[in-house]
Amino acid sequence: MSDPTASPQTVHLLFSYGTLQSPEVQLSRFGRLLDGTPDALPGHRTTTIRISDPAVIRAGGTDRHPLLVAAEPEDAVEGQVFAVSDTELAAADAYEVDDYARVAVTLRSGKHAWVYLGRTDRAPGTLDVPDPEERRGTAEAGGGTERPASVREWLRGLEVFAGPLADFDPAGAPAEPVDLFLSWLREAVAAGVPDAHAMTLSTLAEDGGPDARVLILKNVDGDGWQFAVHAASPKGRQLAHRPYAALTFYWPLHGRQVRIRGVVEPASPEQSAADLLARAPSARAEVLLGRQSEHLEDLEDRDRAFNAALARIEAEPALVSQEWTLCTLVPARIEFWQADKGRLHNRLRYERPDRHSAWERHLLWP
């Protein structure tokens, strides 16, 4: 990081964890888009404050802005490092309100940069993360003060769609939804979205109530979206009773989600066995346990059963569980949802009456 008293030609490193990463803010404040490098600030966490400056609200699109506060050494806040000029640094100073103070820090990468932290002398009222246990302990002790925000206020204060959102023009969407899905998935992976291939599988329980869990996507092709279940597990029994399900993917860095509904079809025993054999020995041993979601009285019982199953796998490398089932969700509806900071979200739904019909595309109201 350069000395703030240096010449006008000085280049400064500025770490941003909030709205300065927004292209709209950068264009309005600096007149150009900044090239950022991912980095993190150790020993801090984010909270949220409410901004009252109309110009800052207009530029950032929200009156809720993130604020860095000191935390445990293992904590860290992700963001981007930008190289800015003296003039641009002054513009950033003008953009930040009085709740912030610019200080020099050392980032995880070892780079020295400026960052805007919460002022230690700011007025009370900052929204902080409420800890229900801490609040309860304070009340029981009969002393101290309540934290400044209720859970409801805290949740309302959390910023949504904080980063630069992806672009989506429904008019340019391909005729086949699989092509659009794979394009969005590849973009999510390239952007570093964690577990971008994870999805929520929603089913109907035997009593008619909803059930959901997160699984990993196995494959996508013209037939549908593939995942695997243990036939004796709750989801396996539910799909055997009612072979209909929904999948939901969410990629927050891009403000995108995909919602898929359809019938679930099991693969052949040979295909299911091939899928299981492609998994790691530990994953196959877990399948052999065959007691998913049952009550567990003692962790040592689990460990003994797992070690025994792993020994069987090592002794019989071709051993498979007949309960393992590869499934394909054959879609009837697929919605692509692109967030908009102004809440005019773009929604495009592909629909077809059956798997042999061509897809129809329809825009949906936000």
Side-chain angles (χ1 to χ4, degrees):
M1 184 192 69
S2 303
D3 188 326
T5 63
S7 68
Q9 286 73 36
T10 299
V11 174
H12 304 269
L13 294 183
L14 178 63
F15 177 71
S16 174
Y17 55 93
T19 55
L20 281 178
Q21 300 177 82
S22 165
E24 293 83 1
V25 173
Q26 293 177 9
L27 289 173
S28 67
R29 290 288 155 175
F30 311 125
R32 69 181 182 97
L33 293 178
L34 305 179
D35 292 327
T37 302
D39 214 321
L41 178 60
H44 290 77
R45 62 176 175 84
T46 56
T47 183
T48 307
I49 60 171
R50 176 175 289 173
I51 300 297
S52 59
D53 189 320
V56 176
I57 295 174
R58 284 195 302 272
T62 177
D63 65 344
R64 310 281 182 158
H65 281 219
L67 187 73
L68 276 184
V69 293
E72 299 298 323
E74 62 270 18
D75 293 328
V77 174
E78 304 290 333
Q80 293 191 75
V81 181
F82 301 106
V84 298
S85 66
D86 285 338
T87 302
E88 290 169 336
L89 186 61
D93 286 344
Y95 173 74
E96 303 296 349
V97 294
D98 291 341
D99 294 272
Y100 297 86
R102 175 160 56 85
V103 300
V105 296
T106 300
L107 301 176
R108 177 187 289 165
S109 65
K111 295 178 180 177
H112 302 291
W114 292 116
V115 68
Y116 295 97
L117 300 181
R119 293 180 59 95
T120 57
D121 59 347
R122 67 180 185 275
T126 296
L127 292 178
D128 202 353
V129 179
D131 184 335
E133 291 300 324
E134 182 176 327
R135 293 171 66 96
R136 184 181 302 114
T138 300
E140 291 172 352
T145 58
E146 288 272 55
R147 298 185 67 126
S150 67
V151 173
R152 176 179 175 83
E153 291 170 332
W154 166 58
L155 290 174
R156 288 178 61 86
L158 295 179
E159 187 173 7
V160 295
F161 313 136
L165 300 179
D167 295 323
F168 176 47
D169 179 10
E176 292 296 322
V178 168
D179 296 335
L180 182 56
F181 174 83
L182 290 175
S183 174
W184 279 23
L185 177 59
R186 292 188 181 101
E187 291 178 20
V189 172
V193 174
D195 300 328
H197 57 327
M199 61 190 182
T200 299
L201 168 68
S202 302
T203 54
L204 284 176
E206 290 89 336
D207 61 3
D211 206 351
R213 75 289 291 162
V214 176
L215 300 180
I216 295 297
L217 179 67
K218 294 283 189 174
N219 187 33
V220 185
D221 56 26
D223 293 328
W225 278 249
Q226 290 186 349
F227 56 93
V229 302
H230 193 288
S233 69
K235 57 183 173 291
R237 297 193 305 268
Q238 292 164 9
L239 289 172
H241 185 59
R242 293 184 178 91
Y244 300 93
L247 301 176
T248 306
F249 294 84
Y250 180 50
W251 302 305
L253 293 183
H254 288 161
R256 285 174 168 174
Q257 64 175 310
V258 180
R259 304 167 59 206
I260 310 167
R261 289 176 53 186
V263 64
V264 176
E265 299 179 349
S268 68
E270 293 76 17
Q271 291 172 313
S272 296
D275 175 78
L276 182 58
L277 289 172
R279 293 166 62 90
S282 58
R284 294 165 56 199
E286 187 272 332
V287 172
L288 284 181
L289 297 180
R291 304 186 64 180
Q292 188 177 112
S293 299
E294 293 182 10
H295 290 177
L296 174 64
E297 301 298 334
D298 191 335
L299 292 178
E300 291 185 359
D301 293 340
R302 179 203 62 186
D303 294 344
R304 281 193 296 269
F306 176 80
N307 289 332
L310 188 59
R312 290 187 62 193
I313 293 293
E314 293 172 349
E316 303 176 63
L319 179 64
V320 297
S321 169
Q322 299 303 313
E323 303 292 329
W324 189 252
T325 307
L326 184 65
C327 299
T328 299
L329 187 147
V330 182
R333 288 184 176 184
I334 307 175
E335 179 188 333
F336 293 84
W337 184 94
Q338 174 64 66
D340 174 74
K341 291 189 177 182
R343 298 306 190 268
L344 293 179
H345 311 307
N346 281 323
R347 300 175 63 188
L348 176 66
R349 187 163 69 197
Y350 291 75
E351 302 174 358
R352 63 181 181 182
D354 57 68
R355 67 193 307 168
H356 304 295
S357 300
W359 288 103
E360 298 180 359
R361 289 178 292 177
H362 300 277
L363 294 175
L364 303 178
W365 283 83

